[in-house]
Amino acid sequence: MADTPETPPAKRARKAANPKPASGTSVTPKPAAPVKTAATAKASSDPSVSQGLSSQIAPIKAQAEKAARAAADKLNAVDWKAHIDPLKDQAAKTAISAAGVAKDKTGSAMQSLAKLISDTAGTVDAKLGPQYGDYARQAAETVAGAADKLDSKDVDQLMAEARDFVRKSPAVAIGAAAVVGFVLMRLAKGSDEDKA
């Protein structure tokens, strides 16, 4: 493309500024120098601008620190124990009430089980022999005695006895808890199937 009178002067200047390298030689481009705007040059050379920014930031920083101190003071001023103690007492009363209801239901369930075992002892006598019927009667008496003991004690006594038992033989307590949990799960699953 040759320079003709129709070529604009801007293109002519670009052509002259970018001469083509000779073939076989490589030219690495030079990085451009950073361009400083007038505002950047003024801010870096004028200390009054940086002092102006500091004077604007200082009140905001002081206000934030004051708000943080006020929030910390409010948190420290709250008597958390006064708020938590009523909740703790209410939870303890609810737990004791639920334990009492569970104790009553367990006692009645054990009495029913003892009656069921006692009633089936006659059938066991007839089918397996009187020796096995006696075992069934002894089991019924044992379950009925446990139910009577359970009914005669209050929840606090039962909890104290349970703590003592766990301290004396933790392995047996864990095993018994696992068996009771399994039995309760099976009972709950069976009652759900009966409803369906």
Side-chain angles (χ1 to χ4, degrees), residues 163-182:
R163 276 189 223 112
D164 291 340
F165 178 75
V166 170
R167 280 189 203 120
K168 289 177 184 174
S169 54
V172 174
I174 291 172
V179 169
V180 168
F182 178 74

Side-chain angles (χ1 to χ4, degrees), residues 10-196:
K11 281 191 175 181
R12 281 189 211 146
R14 256 191 265 145
K15 280 186 181 180
N18 294 330
K20 290 186 179 179
S23 63
T25 61
S26 65
V27 176
T28 56
K30 294 181 182 177
V35 179
K36 285 190 174 183
T37 61
T40 308
K42 184 178 179 183
S44 63
S45 66
D46 191 4
S48 65
V49 172
S50 62
Q51 288 176 352
L53 290 174
S54 296
S55 65
Q56 290 176 354
I57 292 173
I60 296 171
K61 182 180 176 184
Q63 186 179 9
E65 288 173 350
K66 183 179 177 183
R69 279 193 300 274
D73 291 342
K74 282 183 181 180
L75 283 174
N76 292 334
V78 173
D79 185 15
W80 294 106
K81 187 172 169 65
H83 290 290
I84 293 172
D85 283 345
L87 295 175
K88 181 180 168 186
D89 293 341
Q90 183 181 4
K93 287 177 185 175
T94 304
I96 289 172
S97 173
V101 170
K103 179 187 84 86
D104 293 340
K105 285 184 179 182
T106 303
S108 64
M110 288 175 73
Q111 290 289 357
S112 298
L113 179 64
K115 185 174 180 342
L116 177 71
I117 293 171
S118 179
D119 291 345
T120 58
T123 307
V124 172
D125 279 339
K127 293 195 175 190
L128 300 175
Q131 179 184 7
Y132 295 105
D134 289 340
Y135 290 146
R137 284 182 197 83
Q138 288 175 357
E141 288 173 9
T142 304
V143 172
D148 290 339
K149 282 184 183 179
L150 184 67
D151 286 339
S152 67
K153 295 181 181 178
D154 65 349
V155 175
D156 293 332
Q157 289 174 330
L158 292 172
M159 289 177 66
E161 287 179 6
R163 276 189 223 112
D164 291 340
F165 178 75
V166 170
R167 280 189 203 120
K168 289 177 184 174
S169 54
V172 174
I174 291 172
V179 169
V180 168
F182 178 74
V183 168
L184 290 175
M185 182 186 71
R186 294 296 292 173
L187 289 173
K189 188 175 181 182
S191 68
D192 287 344
E193 290 174 359
D194 291 344
K195 290 179 183 176

